[in-house]
Amino acid sequence: MKTMTCLELGGACNLKFTGETFEEIAELSKKHGMEMFQKKDEVHLTAMNKMRALMESPQAMQDWFEKKREIFKNLKED
C-alpha cells in the first residue's frame, strides 16, 4: 500500500489516500473532489479549476498523469 495526499494530486488539502495502485488512489481523490465540489469548498474549487484548465490539453493531461504515476511508483510502501 502507498499513500498520496490530495495536495500531491493537485488538490487543496492534506487528506491521505491509500491504495495498491495509482489508479486506486486517483479514484479516491476523484470521489473526494466530488464531495468538496458539492460542499462548494473554495480552496478545492480553485484547485479543480486549475485541473480543468490542464485537461484542455490532452498531452498536458497525459504528461501530468505520467508524472504522478512516477511519483507513486517511487513511494515507499506504507
Side-chain angles (χ1 to χ4, degrees):
M1 299 288 266
K2 295 182 179 185
T3 300
M4 294 179 81
T5 66
C6 175
L7 198 58
E8 290 173 314
L9 295 164
C13 71
N14 288 314
L15 183 66
K16 294 179 180 179
F17 308 109
T18 301
E20 292 288 338
T21 66
F22 175 75
E23 288 71 24
E24 284 179 43
I25 287 177
E27 186 60 32
L28 293 171
S29 174
K30 182 179 174 182
K31 287 179 184 178
H32 169 64
M34 288 190 281
E35 290 172 8
M36 294 299 101
F37 178 80
Q38 290 174 347
K39 291 181 179 181
K40 297 182 169 104
D41 182 87
E42 285 299 320
V43 293
H44 281 85
L45 291 174
T46 299
M48 286 176 210
N49 286 333
K50 290 178 184 176
M51 288 299 294
R52 191 172 296 122
L54 183 66
M55 291 169 71
E56 290 178 12
S57 166
Q59 185 60 51
M61 196 67 210
Q62 182 178 348
D63 292 346
W64 183 89
F65 269 107
E66 289 305 316
K67 179 181 173 186
K68 297 303 177 179
R69 280 188 186 97
E70 188 66 24
I71 291 169
F72 176 84
K73 180 179 140 187
N74 291 318
L75 288 173
K76 293 182 180 178
E77 295 282 333
D78 292 341

